[in-house]
Amino acid sequence: RTFTVSDIMYTGLSSGLSASSGAAIRNVRICGPASVLNRLRSNMLYAQVDLSDVAAGEHTVYAVIGCDDYNNIWQVGTYSTAVKIE
């Protein structure tokens, strides 16, 4: 199934900096058992972005799609998002 992921979480952000992303990641393909996919909703998914060693400015970074509710689903393909670090 295909989802839009709007919850973006940041890890590895240097102390004193803040990060923001203005747009959701669209057309995220998720695979897994049909019984799980039938119950899965966009608000259950999040994108995790690693900002280790990323300086202030605007960057396009890769995102890993995750879900706390189910551990037997996975993303298909690679996804990125624009992040502004201040």
Side-chain angles (χ1 to χ4, degrees), residues 17-54:
L17 295 176
S18 63
S20 61
S21 181
I25 303 173
R26 301 191 185 287
N27 300 318
V28 174
R29 291 191 59 214
I30 300 293
C31 282
S35 61
V36 172
L37 293 177
N38 288 336
R39 293 189 306 261
L40 190 63
R41 301 291 174 254
S42 289
N43 64 353
M44 297 174 161
L45 300 171
Y46 60 86
Q48 189 165 13
V49 175
D50 184 6
L51 298 177
S52 300
D53 301 320
V54 179

Side-chain angles (χ1 to χ4, degrees), residues 47-67:
Q48 189 165 13
V49 175
D50 184 6
L51 298 177
S52 300
D53 301 320
V54 179
E58 294 187 21
H59 306 275
T60 299
V61 292
Y62 288 105
V64 176
I65 308 303
C67 178

